Amino acid sequence: MYWEKEIETIERRQLEKLQLERLKQSINKASKSLYYGDKFKDKVINAAAIKSIQDIEKIPFTTKDDLRGNWPYGLVATSKDELVRMHSSSGTTGRATVIFHTAGDIAVWTNLVARCMYMTGMRKSDVFQNMMTYGLFTGGLGFHYGAEKIGALVIPASAGNSKRQIQLMIDFATTVVHVIPSYALHLSTVFTELKIDPRRDTKVKIAFIGAEPHTEKMRRKIEEIYGYKAFNSYGLSEMSGPGVAFECPNQNGLHIWEDSFLVEIINPQTLQPVRDGEEGELVMTTLQREGMPILRYRTKDLTRIIPEPCSCGRTHRRIERIKGRTDDMMIIKGVNIYPMQIEKKLMDIEGVGTNFLIVLDREEFNDLMTVKVEVNKKLFSGELKKLEALRKKIAEELKSEILITPKIDLVEPDSIPKGEGKAVRVIDNRKD
Ligand code: AMP
Ligand code: ZN
C-alpha cells in the first residue's frame, strides 16, 4: 500500500521538525545562487533567522518573472559541473522558464513519482504507457523514471499519433496510462472511429491524468468511457514536475508531499496567508533541491488545503483539485469567470461531446462571449429541433453558473483543433 510507509505516515510533529531542518538547508543552499545570494547579502534574511516554519514569511516570494529575469543560470546554486539535466515549463505565456537538476535532484524526484504511482496500486507487474511528450516537458521523463523505479515495463509512447497509441495499448496489454485529460477525451473519439471499445478491448485499469486543470465531472466522464480509475496528478516544472501532489485511492484531494515541499496558501491580492481550509494561491518552497532551490514560489494555481486527515493513513495534507490559475480568470461584463466553471456545467449535459472553446470578443464597448461546444456524433447528424433544444439548455445552464448568457455555437465532433499538449480553453480577441 505504501512505497515509503515511514515517511508517508510520519507524525505531523515530526514532519514539521524535518521541514524546519530542510528549510534551513534550502535557504543556505539557495544563498549560493546569484539571485538569492544578492537578496540575502544584507544577512537580515538567512537560515539563522528561521526559528520556526512560520518564519518562512520573512523570506520574499519568488515569481515566474524572477526566474525569467535571472534566466538561465541565476538561480543555480551548485557549480555547473554538478548539473545533469535541464527541463522547462510549457511556457504558454512569455519565455519558458528553465530548471536545472543535479543527479541527487533527479533521484529525489524519481522517488516521489514512484511514491505517487505505487499509492494508486501500480506495481512491478504493470505495463505503463506514457502518452506525454518526451523532451523538455517534465511529464515524459519524470513519469518514465518513476515507473522504471517501480520496475514496471515502460512503453515510452510520447504524445500524439492516436492510432498508434491504441495499437500499442492493445498489442502490449497496457495496464496503466499517463495522459492529459483533454487528450484522453479526444482519444476516445478515435477509439469510436476505429470501432474499438476501450472498456472491452483494452486492459488499462489505472490512468494518471494531469498537467492541466480539469473538473471532477471530466474525470468521471473519462472513467466512464474507459472503465479505468483516473487519478489526478499535479506538478509544475519549477517544483521538478509531476510528483508534487497526487490522489490516493480515495480520489478525494491530492496528497502534497510535505517532506519535499513546504506548502503555503496565500491571498493573491494581499499576499497574506489565508485561514486553514480557505481557497487561495498555492506557494511552494523546495526542501530537497540542490541544483536550483526555489523559495516561496508563487504557482498562480488556485486551491485550498483540506484540513481533515485522510482515511488512507497518509499524514501529508491534501490539496483540492486545482480550480484554475490566477491568470486564467476572465473578466466579462465585470463578472469574474474561470474556464473550469464552464467545463463543470458542460460535462453534465447529455449530448455534449469531448471538447469546447471559449472565444472572447469586444464589440464597441461590449464584451461578447461565445462558447463553441462539440456535440456528440449521434446528435449532430440528428434532428435540428434536438440541436436547438441542446443549445438552449447549454445557454441556460451556463447562465445559472456564470450569470451572463454566452452565445453558444454547436459544432461538429472533433472540429475544434486539439493539439498533443495542454488544451487551449480560451481565445481572447479583446486585447488591442
Ligand atoms: P508546467 O510547468 O509547464 O508543467 O506547467 C505546470 C502547470 O500546469 C501548473 O502550474 C498548473 O497550472 C498546471 N497543472 C499541472 N497539473 C495539473 C493538475 N493536475 N490540475 C490542474 N492543473 C495542473
Ligand atoms: Zn489519502
Side-chain angles (χ1 to χ4, degrees):
M1 184 180 181
Y2 302 107
W3 175 251
E4 295 172 297
K5 181 156 191 217
E6 215 165 285
I7 194 74
E8 289 177 50
T9 61
I10 184 174
E11 238 187 84
R12 291 287 316 171
R13 237 185 341 178
Q14 246 186 303
L15 177 60
E16 281 167 21
K17 220 174 112 201
L18 179 72
Q19 285 187 313
L20 183 58
E21 231 168 76
R22 288 187 174 169
L23 174 61
K24 289 179 179 203
Q25 287 167 5
S26 270
I27 295 170
N28 277 334
K29 279 184 204 147
S31 62
K32 302 208 168 70
S33 71
L34 277 175
Y35 174 71
Y36 288 113
D38 188 50
K39 275 216 144 83
F40 298 167
K41 69 174 181 294
D42 55 7
K43 302 277 186 234
V44 179
I45 323 165
N46 59 24
I50 305 290
K51 305 265 186 274
S52 72
I53 289 173
Q54 280 66 40
D55 283 341
I56 193 164
E57 287 172 28
K58 295 180 182 165
I59 309 242
F61 293 108
T62 304
T63 63
K64 216 179 188 78
D65 281 342
D66 295 327
L67 298 189
R68 286 196 185 116
N70 294 277
W71 188 89
Y73 295 114
L75 275 82
V76 169
T78 56
S79 83
K80 273 203 216 157
D81 284 4
E82 300 292 312
L83 303 175
V84 300
R85 176 104 64 85
M86 177 189 123
H87 275 290
S88 82
S89 70
S90 43
T92 38
T93 45
R95 177 191 257 171
T97 47
V98 286
I99 305 294
F100 298 95
H101 300 272
T102 64
D105 293 334
I106 298 287
V108 168
W109 178 24
T110 298
N111 191 56
L112 284 182
V113 176
R115 195 193 281 175
C116 296
M117 294 171 128
Y118 199 87
M119 173 164 74
T120 66
M122 176 172 161
R123 296 293 180 268
K124 197 176 174 324
S125 51
D126 278 305
V127 178
F128 173 64
Q129 186 167 331
N130 194 6
M131 303 196 244
M132 293 274 183
T133 311
Y134 277 65
L136 289 171
F137 176 57
T138 57
L141 288 174
F143 265 86
H144 183 101
Y145 278 77
E148 279 192 355
K149 174 123 194 175
I150 285 184
L153 171 62
V154 182
I155 305 177
S158 198
N161 202 341
S162 302
K163 287 185 181 156
R164 194 189 60 181
Q165 296 286 3
I166 294 171
Q167 196 62 49
L168 287 169
M169 231 178 263
I170 292 171
D171 287 352
F172 303 101
T174 300
T175 53
V176 181
V177 296
H178 178 207
V179 61
I180 292 186
S182 55
Y183 186 72
L185 284 184
H186 166 73
L187 191 66
S188 74
T189 64
V190 184
F191 268 103
T192 312
E193 209 180 284
L194 298 173
K195 299 200 168 50
I196 299 172
D197 177 355
R199 296 182 74 107
R200 193 192 56 210
D201 303 327
T202 76
K203 298 260 182 300
V204 185
K205 55 183 193 223
I206 295 174
F208 307 126
I209 59 171
E212 67 183 10
H214 56 285
T215 55
E216 180 65 31
K217 297 258 154 71
M218 179 137 165
R219 181 242 294 276
R220 293 297 167 212
K221 188 162 183 164
I222 293 170
E223 288 192 332
E224 177 61 32
I225 292 172
Y226 287 95
Y228 53 49
K229 283 243 167 255
F231 295 91
N232 193 347
S233 152
Y234 170 77
L236 60 161
S237 48
E238 291 83 356
M239 296 290 122
S240 294
V244 174
F246 219 89
E247 279 181 337
C248 71
N250 288 333
Q251 292 185 306
N252 181 17
L254 297 84
H255 288 283
I256 187 154
W257 300 122
E258 295 182 86
D259 55 327
S260 218
F261 307 100
L262 191 69
V263 179
E264 299 170 80
I265 308 277
I266 61 160
N267 175 321
Q269 268 85 45
T270 64
L271 307 186
Q272 293 304 308
V274 300
R275 269 192 310 236
D276 207 20
E278 228 173 76
E279 192 182 284
E281 179 181 343
L282 179 65
V283 170
M284 276 187 287
T285 298
T286 60
L287 292 177
Q288 291 184 289
R289 192 76 86 55
E290 298 169 341
M292 193 166 158
I294 302 184
L295 309 175
R296 303 195 85 198
Y297 184 67
R298 288 189 60 184
T299 64
K300 296 198 172 172
D301 291 323
L302 294 166
T303 184
R304 69 179 197 98
I305 294 275
I306 303 173
E308 297 80 29
C310 185
S311 67
C312 75
R314 290 178 181 82
T315 48
H316 300 241
R317 287 176 302 171
R318 286 167 296 160
I319 54 167
E320 209 161 66
R321 70 170 57 248
I322 305 292
K323 181 178 155 190
R325 293 173 55 81
T326 51
D327 47 10
D328 262 2
M329 192 179 78
M330 307 172 272
I331 304 180
I332 300 148
K333 298 183 180 170
V335 183
N336 297 351
I337 301 169
Y338 288 97
M340 285 298 98
Q341 290 176 277
I342 312 270
E343 183 186 300
K344 190 171 81 187
K345 282 288 171 192
L346 289 180
M347 289 296 139
D348 231 10
I349 301 173
E350 220 189 306
V352 167
T354 55
N355 204 356
F356 70 95
L357 179 68
I358 301 162
V359 183
L360 305 176
D361 292 291
R362 183 166 287 150
E363 228 169 58
E364 302 273 304
F365 297 105
N366 261 332
D367 289 336
L368 295 181
M369 178 185 200
T370 307
V371 185
K372 290 180 189 261
V373 183
E374 286 184 5
V375 277
N376 69 28
K377 217 173 201 143
K378 211 168 97 208
L379 204 85
F380 196 79
S381 42
E383 285 171 51
L384 215 61
K385 218 166 65 196
K386 282 198 180 145
L387 276 177
E388 185 48 32
L390 177 65
R391 209 183 55 73
K392 235 172 112 193
K393 174 148 177 81
I394 293 174
E396 276 164 15
E397 288 286 327
L398 291 187
K399 173 148 196 234
S400 74
E401 174 73 29
I402 60 176
L403 308 175
I404 60 168
T405 311
K407 178 170 175 282
I408 307 297
D409 270 359
L410 297 183
V411 298
E412 225 177 309
D414 247 357
S415 61
I416 298 173
K418 170 76 192 92
E420 294 170 0
K422 306 185 188 213
V424 176
R425 293 297 188 205
V426 183
I427 294 180
D428 194 343
N429 299 320
R430 294 177 302 172
K431 298 181 186 106
D432 326 292

